[in-house]
Amino acid sequence: MNKKLGEYLIEKGLFITAIFSIIIILLIFAFVFREGLPIFQDFGVLNFIFGMEWAPSDGQFGVFTMIIGSLCITLLALIMAVPLSLLCAIFMAEIAPSGMRKILKPVIETLAGIPSVVYGFFGLIVMVPLIRVQFGGTGFSMLSASIILTVMILPTIISVSEDAMRSIPHEYKEASLALGATQWQTIKNVIFPASVPGIITAIILGMGRAIGETLAVIMVAGNVTQIPQSIMDPVRALTSNIALEMGYATGLHYNALFGTAVVLFIMIMVLLVIANYYHYKKKVVIGGGYL
Amino acid sequence: MNRIEVENLNGYFDDAHILKDINIKIPNNSVTALIGPSGCGKSTFIRTLNRMNDLISGFRHDGAVYLDGADIYDPKIDVVDLRKRIGMVFQKPNPFPKSIFDNVAYGLKVHGITEKDIIKERVEESLKAAALWDEVKEKLDKSAMGLSGGQQQRLCIARTIAIEPEVILMDEPCSALDPISTTKIEDLIHKLKNDYTIIIVTHNMQQATRVSKHTSFFLHGEIVESNLTERMFLEPEDKRTEDYITGRFG
């Protein structure tokens, strides 16, 4: 009887811990939406999302420039990070001798562990002056933010896509080599195509990290609410908007910042749903019906 | 005439001595079966013949393997070319996650054949030779993953013969298949032996008697006995061979 009771308590205990994190997420979700609701009601959903002007003191709360800002720096960061990461992942998964891989992998994972303020500080002290001297302008720009983000999302994309490539059944590689394909032909024609779903997951996770990054972006992006005309223009990201103004916002301005969070929330949710979709799709079967 | 001659081949995996002083001659255009209990080194042995063991870190060997008189471990030998001449079919059917057509066309493409008509023709010939054409001709653009295990294995054979090798190595090609699929593969082996030199690893002794002309018995990394298949199974020369084929161990 006692044993049965113990089992029961452990089972319920585990259930409660598991449900706890879900409850917290739901509470955050509910809170953010509740606090953001007035801006959508008073200012209008379309005015808020597509409004070009952000001037809280004049009662203007359009976040469109920031949506574009976030998308632009993220896209530019991906353009730089994806080719670099994929080549690095291919090298680590298929070419590097195991000794070198044992060094590379933890080093790259360490990149992910560096606090974002350190990246931001490095950007502020090194990148921004460098861009100012090389390309003119203030140096606070979309380019600076994207370069910093590139470095920050490299480890995510590298390690997830490397895992995807390494999880390709060894049999495929053997089959290709046994047919007289070279190593590069095998990578290009068999391993890479088979890992595409995993690679897409990796890119989307990197993208999610780039969109959500706040501090490092604030420190180097210049934070001007405008649609950037070139990569040298300063931009403001959605995340930056919340962090910059949260300290003194009141009334509708306060709700507008939560509204910004709702927009961000939805963008990231969409990305995660797509990432999960590809994650489950990537399972490959080998051996047909009999195995 | 002998297609492959192996002289004093020793294979090591780190410190383990896996192949011990192997000497064997594989005759042209016939089927040679390698039998023996699990772990006796027969798979490792055939993987030295197309240098697949090069992929395994920690494997080294000494001795010589001659293909048509040329040492395949000569530094001047191009491994890619060697593997084109010595094809391999694996234990587990391992088609690529591509269409049926692309699976067979793959080897042709990596060897630089780009003309679509030639590729199409060779794919059809190979699938016919592998006795699979009638079952798949309507769905060449469908994924190979949708085929049954036996069909997948015949597809792997088609893929191998598409690049016209001289030798086909088969590493327990039926061990993952049901009896009907096994029969089909064995029929296919009978058909192919006229054009190819086939070496088949099997732990199924009936299969060895059904398909092969010559048999070698492996035990603990050595070849105990090599002979014509019917001779070996009727009057084995070595006591250990007799014990194995009469089912006293293994």
Side-chain angles (χ1 to χ4, degrees):
Chain A
M1 192 62 215
N2 244 342
K3 203 171 159 193
K4 225 175 168 183
L5 184 69
E7 287 286 322
Y8 177 81
L9 288 177
I10 287 171
E11 220 170 79
K12 291 299 167 217
L14 289 175
F15 174 73
I16 288 167
T17 25
I19 207 81
F20 193 64
S21 54
I22 296 176
I23 291 171
I24 289 183
I25 289 175
L26 288 178
L27 285 176
I28 293 175
F29 199 78
F31 179 76
V32 169
F33 272 75
R34 197 194 66 190
E35 298 295 303
L37 194 61
I39 192 73
F40 295 112
Q41 285 170 333
D42 297 358
F43 196 67
V45 175
L46 292 181
N47 288 340
F48 182 71
I49 292 176
F50 294 107
M52 294 293 286
E53 203 179 341
W54 176 266
S57 48
D58 299 338
Q60 290 301 318
F61 300 103
V63 293
F64 193 65
T65 56
M66 294 168 243
I67 294 177
I68 295 299
S70 275
L71 290 178
C72 281
I73 47 177
T74 303
L75 193 69
L76 186 59
L78 285 175
I79 289 172
M80 294 187 281
V82 168
L84 262 177
S85 327
L86 292 188
L87 293 176
C88 182
I90 288 174
F91 177 75
M92 280 170 66
E94 294 300 323
I95 297 166
S98 71
M100 186 186 273
R101 191 178 164 272
K102 275 183 193 134
I103 299 170
L104 270 175
K105 184 121 180 145
V107 169
I108 286 167
E109 276 162 6
T110 308
L111 274 182
I114 296 175
S116 57
V117 65
V118 176
Y119 282 113
F121 195 55
F122 172 82
L124 189 64
I125 300 300
V126 180
M127 288 289 313
V128 170
L130 191 73
I131 287 176
R132 182 160 52 220
V133 173
Q134 294 296 324
F135 301 105
T138 60
F140 289 100
S141 61
M142 187 176 134
L143 181 64
S144 314
S146 297
I147 292 175
I148 294 299
L149 282 180
T150 299
V151 181
M152 293 181 74
I153 64 178
L154 276 178
T156 310
I157 306 183
I158 292 173
S159 62
V160 177
S161 49
E162 196 229 347
D163 286 345
M165 288 180 205
R166 288 175 69 85
S167 71
I168 299 305
H170 190 64
E171 285 86 349
Y172 293 166
K173 198 171 150 184
E174 283 196 321
S176 174
L177 293 171
L179 285 168
T182 61
Q183 192 179 15
W184 175 242
Q185 285 173 328
T186 302
I187 292 170
K188 187 177 67 152
N189 299 320
V190 176
I191 295 173
F192 192 82
S195 25
V196 161
I199 290 169
I200 290 175
T201 307
I203 293 172
I204 290 172
L205 290 176
M207 199 168 165
R209 178 145 198 234
I211 285 192
E213 177 50 40
T214 313
L215 200 53
V217 174
I218 288 185
M219 291 167 83
V220 299
N223 306 318
V224 180
T225 55
Q226 60 175 13
I227 305 262
Q229 303 299 313
S230 89
I231 56 171
M232 295 306 155
D233 283 350
V235 287
R236 182 183 289 200
L238 288 165
T239 49
S240 311
N241 191 43
I242 303 169
L244 284 166
E245 300 186 3
M246 207 43 156
Y248 58 86
T250 52
L252 203 56
H253 184 195
Y254 170 88
N255 299 124
L257 295 183
F258 273 101
T260 313
V262 170
V263 172
L264 196 59
F265 217 105
I266 291 171
M267 283 167 72
I268 292 175
M269 290 277 274
V270 169
L271 285 182
L272 283 179
V273 168
I274 299 173
N276 271 324
Y277 172 74
Y278 276 105
H279 188 74
Y280 287 110
K281 216 180 123 183
K282 85 173 176 187
K283 286 178 81 177
V284 278
V285 271
I286 184 165
Y290 292 91
L291 289 173
Chain B
M1 211 188 117
N2 294 322
R3 180 69 81 186
I4 293 179
E5 295 189 12
V6 178
E7 286 176 7
N8 305 325
L9 180 76
N10 283 283
Y12 309 86
F13 186 70
D14 291 327
D15 293 331
H17 193 174
I18 296 185
L19 298 174
K20 296 168 190 160
D21 218 20
I22 303 285
N23 285 282
I24 186 172
K25 293 179 167 58
I26 311 282
N28 250 351
N29 295 15
S30 72
V31 181
T32 303
L34 310 179
I35 59 166
S38 298
C40 66
K42 49 195 194 310
S43 288
T44 308
F45 170 69
I46 69 162
R47 292 168 63 98
T48 58
L49 300 181
N50 65 345
R51 295 185 57 174
M52 286 305 276
N53 284 331
D54 291 11
L55 304 178
I56 297 169
S57 64
F59 183 84
R60 64 205 158 79
H61 80 287
D62 53 52
V65 179
Y66 298 99
L67 172 65
D68 297 329
D71 184 0
I72 65 163
Y73 283 93
D74 187 319
K76 275 179 282 185
I77 288 274
D78 179 7
V79 182
V80 164
D81 182 57
L82 171 77
R83 293 193 185 132
K84 185 176 178 294
R85 294 170 62 193
I86 304 188
M88 185 163 199
V89 176
F90 296 83
Q91 187 169 356
K92 239 163 113 180
N94 58 353
F96 301 121
K98 299 175 184 282
S99 72
I100 293 168
F101 184 91
D102 286 344
N103 263 279
V104 185
Y106 181 80
L108 302 169
K109 285 179 185 159
V110 301
H111 291 297
I113 298 174
T114 49
E115 279 173 76
K116 286 206 169 109
D117 292 343
I118 296 182
I119 292 179
K120 236 175 125 178
E121 202 176 298
R122 288 273 283 277
V123 168
E124 184 174 337
E125 279 170 19
S126 311
L127 286 168
K128 280 179 177 160
L132 190 61
W133 176 252
D134 290 335
E135 290 161 61
V136 300
K137 64 184 174 195
E138 306 293 331
K139 51 176 182 178
L140 292 175
D141 55 341
K142 294 273 173 1
S143 170
M145 295 311 186
L147 298 175
S148 74
Q151 289 173 323
Q152 289 190 0
Q153 195 63 301
R154 276 179 284 147
L155 180 65
C156 292
I157 294 173
R159 182 174 71 181
T160 304
I161 55 188
I163 54 171
E164 298 176 332
E166 297 161 32
V167 180
I168 303 176
L169 308 174
M170 298 186 172
D171 187 359
E172 302 197 22
C174 304
S175 65
L177 305 180
D178 63 294
I180 293 169
S181 303
T182 300
T183 311
K184 284 189 181 160
I185 302 264
E186 288 179 5
D187 290 346
L188 178 56
I189 291 172
H190 278 295
K191 231 173 74 189
L192 293 173
K193 72 182 174 199
N194 299 320
D195 300 316
Y196 301 94
T197 302
I198 296 174
I199 304 175
I200 179 170
V201 165
T202 175
H203 55 217
N204 178 335
M205 284 175 279
Q206 285 74 36
Q207 181 165 66
T209 58
R210 287 191 298 257
V211 301
S212 73
K213 186 169 179 203
H214 299 267
T215 297
S216 290
F217 172 52
F218 275 68
L219 186 63
H220 307 311
E222 290 174 77
I223 292 185
V224 173
E225 188 173 341
S226 294
N227 213 332
L228 285 168
T229 303
E230 49 191 85
R231 285 277 300 280
M232 180 179 285
F233 282 93
L234 285 176
E235 37 190 303
E237 286 164 12
D238 195 289
K239 179 77 173 64
R240 290 170 293 176
T241 315
E242 190 184 337
D243 287 349
Y244 182 69
I245 62 181
T246 53
R248 243 165 260 163
F249 73 97

